[in-house]
Structure formats: C-alpha cells, structure tokens
Amino acid sequence: MKKISLMGASGSIGTQTLDIIRQHPDEFQLVAFSVGKNIHFARQVINEFHPELVSVLEKSSMEMLKAEFPSISFTYGQLGLTEVAVYNKANILVNAVLGRVGLEPTLQAIEERKTIAIANKETLVTAGHLVMEAAKNYGVDLLPFDSEHSAIFQALQGENAKNIDRLILTASGGSFRDYSRADLEAVTVEQALNHPNWSMGAKITIDSATMMNKGLEVIEAHWLFSLPYDKIDCLLHNESIIHSMVEFHDSSVIAQLGTPDMRVPIQYALSYPDRLPLKNKRLDLAKIGQLHFKEMDYDRFRCLALAYQAGKEGGSMPAVLNAANEAAVAAFLEGKISFLKIEELIEKALTRHSC
C-alpha cells in the first residue's frame, strides 16, 4: 500500500486526489494532509480518512482541532507544511498547494527520499534547477499531476530521450479563446471564471484565460523533460481531448488522449508504474466526431509569450514572472484592475528586473 502525504487537501487538485484514494482504499492510504483555513473541510477529511498528522494555517485552529481529535497529531503554518511533507510514514508527497509555499517542503521531502507527485507549478517555475538537481542527487521520482505533463510523461514511457524532436503542449484557450483583444477590454471576473472544459480553482482558471497557465507549463516542461524552449511548442485544441504530444525525429507523433478529467493524471501518478481502474466518463471519439486545432497566436496570448521570454532569459526571471502574475491575478479577482491589465503589469515587472 502506498502511503500519501497531501499538501493542499481542500483545493481542486487536493479534493480530486482524495477521490482517488477513496476509490482505491486497498492501494492508497492518507497518512498526513494540510489545509489552510477550511477547518470544516479538515474535520470531514479526518473523520473519513483517519490520518495521523494534520497541518492547518493558524495556531488557534490547530488547538481547536487538537481538542476535538486527541488521537491525531496537529501542527500549523509553514513549519506544519514541512512536517506533512516529510512525515516518516508517507512514501509519496502530493504537492497541491498554490504559490511558492510548496517549494521548501518539497525540497525537504526530496532529501527524505519521498516520491514527489507535483501539481504546484510555482515549485518548478521559481526553482526548477534546485528541485531537479535535488531529485537527481537523491534518486527521487518526480511525477507530474498536470494533464499536459502527464500526457508527455506517458508518451515517453519506453522511449529514448535522445529521439525527441519536440514537445507539443495543447491548450484549450480558456474562457476567452474566441475573443479578439478588443473584446477583452471589458470582460468580467465572472466571465473569466467560466472555463469551457475544466473545473479548476479561481487562480488557475484566470491563468488559463490569460494563457499564463500554459506559459508556466512550458517552463515546467523545460525542467521536467530537460529540453530547451525552442523544442517546446503550444497548440490550441478546443476540446481538451489530446492532452499533449511528443514528436520524435523520425516524424512519429505519440499523443495521450482522454476526457478532460484531472483524476486520470492524478491516479496515474499515484499508481505509477501500474494503472488502476477509474470510475469516470469514457472517451467516445465517434460521439465527439471532430477535433479542432489552431496555431498559437502569441500576440493574442501575450502572457504565453512573456513566459517563454522569462524562461529563456532564466535566472530569477521566471520567479519574477510568477510573482507578478500572482499579484496581478489577485488584483483582478478583487476587481481592482481590468483583465488586460494583468499582462501589462507582468510585462512591466519583467522589464524592470535584471537577473
């Protein structure tokens, strides 16, 4: 049985990870998890999964839960995240938190030789060189949770990396894929959160609408698969059926297909190198009928172009890109700036920074 520590249990990826554990109680056990301020959710998880260690954001919440569940160990704050990450009875760490708070716990877990299942983009975007070097030094597997990186990872099974010609990340285009730049001037937060294919958290959904999400995935792919940026392409694909592709130098292309359900790549990472049954909607290509593709327009999706720029410049530029994006998206979600102001603020931050 694989024993799992889960950072970020109450988020979109976290709750779907719990669903996978729920479906396979003989394969997976949740031994530790973290949440932020959602104490009601924490109680539900504790009652269902009976973990041994739980971390929350605030000390007061920890004390309250400790009184309610005296047989469980509790901790809190950034130190609590690290305690969950390195918990001695876990052999897999799922990093599903938002923001760079996941970096230090992940590095600590690598040093403890935990297998890392990673959904936290910021960990690789801000410090990919550190994470990959540590994983190599400690002989640790780094397994991708993102559908795009999982697709590439699956397509590369049994293949020799020297034969790769390029990676092709597919992108739905987000909530505004059919909008012109003029149309984007007055879009609302509610419109931006209405993704056509995927159910995700607010921040990631906005990142999808600006295409920054794809930009961060490009930087992640650079680190995960050790390829230069000129060998990583993006392709618009409305249906989100082909999750990504690998083209080899003999012109063969291997793609991974499936319904747009994050539980598929999540379960693959947890069960790797095996595959387990999954109760979900099956792919019916005859019913879908057609798949559509379109060349990426980097002028239209300015955030994606900025991500390539930051990745190629390297150094601290990706960290600045990520930080500026987090701040700008938060401001948009709070109604303080317009949608197009997001990319403008990110570009200003990159222009003013020298790495």
Side-chain angles (χ1 to χ4, degrees):
M1 176 177 285
K2 295 181 178 180
K3 297 188 176 184
I4 296 169
S5 286
L6 170 59
M7 295 196 306
S10 60
S12 174
I13 297 298
T15 55
Q16 291 177 89
T17 300
L18 293 174
D19 190 42
I20 296 300
I21 298 172
R22 186 179 292 117
Q23 285 197 37
H24 300 286
D26 295 332
E27 300 286 341
F28 308 122
Q29 180 185 359
L30 182 72
V31 294
F33 76 90
S34 76
V35 294
K37 296 183 178 181
N38 195 338
I39 305 307
H40 175 69
F41 181 80
R43 289 190 183 97
Q44 292 178 323
V45 176
I46 291 168
N47 285 322
E48 179 178 2
F49 294 96
H50 310 291
E52 299 173 12
L53 174 66
V54 177
S55 177
V56 293
L57 183 62
E58 298 172 344
K59 185 177 181 179
S60 58
S61 298
M62 179 195 73
E63 297 291 351
M64 180 171 57
L65 288 171
K66 187 182 291 186
E68 294 178 34
F69 302 95
S71 64
I72 294 175
S73 297
F74 290 92
T75 183
Y76 73 99
Q78 184 65 32
L79 180 60
L81 278 181
T82 299
E83 290 183 48
V84 167
V86 302
Y87 187 56
N88 64 330
K89 293 187 181 180
N91 45 39
I92 298 178
L93 168 64
V94 175
N95 179 351
V97 294
L98 282 175
R100 69 169 305 279
V101 295
L103 173 59
E104 289 84 357
T106 298
L107 289 172
Q108 291 289 320
I110 289 173
E111 291 183 13
E112 296 295 325
R113 291 181 166 82
K114 311 289 187 186
T115 295
I116 308 297
I118 191 158
N120 171 247
K121 297 182 186 305
E122 293 82 4
T123 292
L124 288 177
V125 169
T126 61
H129 58 301
L130 297 177
V131 175
M132 299 310 295
E133 182 180 2
K136 181 180 179 181
N137 290 341
Y138 287 94
V140 167
D141 286 331
L142 205 65
L143 304 175
F145 257 33
D146 272 352
S147 60
E148 294 83 359
H149 301 118
S150 177
I152 293 168
F153 182 70
Q154 293 180 60
L156 289 175
Q157 295 304 301
E159 299 291 343
N160 194 322
K162 72 179 180 64
N163 296 327
I164 301 172
D165 194 58
R166 63 174 176 147
L167 307 180
I168 306 168
L169 300 177
T170 56
S172 68
S175 310
F176 304 132
R177 63 190 178 197
D178 298 320
Y179 284 42
S180 68
R181 289 195 64 82
D183 294 333
L184 295 174
E185 292 287 349
V187 296
T188 66
V189 171
E190 290 72 24
Q191 288 174 304
L193 291 174
N194 185 26
H195 195 284
N197 299 340
W198 297 92
S199 176
M200 305 178 290
K203 195 265 183 183
I204 297 175
T205 305
I206 302 302
D207 282 349
S208 179
T210 64
M211 204 65 83
M212 180 57 81
N213 196 47
K214 200 57 49 182
L216 299 177
E217 287 172 5
V218 166
I219 297 173
E220 286 182 279
H222 164 74
W223 291 115
L224 284 169
F225 305 109
S226 301
L227 283 175
Y229 287 97
D230 60 5
K231 288 185 175 290
I232 306 172
D233 292 339
C234 295
L235 179 69
L236 282 169
H237 169 45
N238 286 4
E239 293 83 5
S240 297
I241 297 298
I242 294 179
H243 297 303
S244 279
M245 298 173 271
V246 180
E247 182 177 352
F248 297 91
H249 59 201
D250 65 353
S251 78
S252 296
V253 177
I254 296 181
Q256 188 265 334
L257 286 71
T259 56
D261 186 337
M262 279 301 300
R263 293 177 303 165
V264 176
I266 289 171
Q267 180 171 288
Y268 183 73
L270 295 181
S271 64
Y272 177 81
D274 199 6
R275 288 183 186 269
L276 298 173
L278 179 62
K279 297 174 184 177
N280 74 327
K281 183 179 178 181
R282 297 298 169 133
L283 180 62
D284 187 341
L285 288 175
K287 185 176 181 180
I288 293 169
Q290 294 182 351
L291 299 177
H292 299 85
F293 305 93
K294 189 176 179 182
E295 185 176 1
M296 187 63 68
D297 183 345
Y298 292 93
D299 292 326
R300 162 65 178 78
F301 296 107
R302 182 66 184 150
C303 281
L304 179 55
L306 292 173
Y308 269 101
Q309 174 190 325
K312 289 176 180 178
E313 290 189 34
S316 54
M317 279 296 185
V320 171
L321 173 90
N322 178 73
N325 180 63
E326 284 190 9
V329 169
F332 172 69
L333 286 170
E334 293 169 7
K336 296 178 179 178
I337 63 171
S338 67
F339 181 76
L340 287 179
K341 192 73 173 179
I342 296 174
E343 63 187 48
E344 182 182 330
L345 292 175
I346 295 168
E347 187 165 18
K348 283 183 178 179
L350 293 176
T351 301
R352 293 172 180 174
H353 181 70
S354 61
C355 54

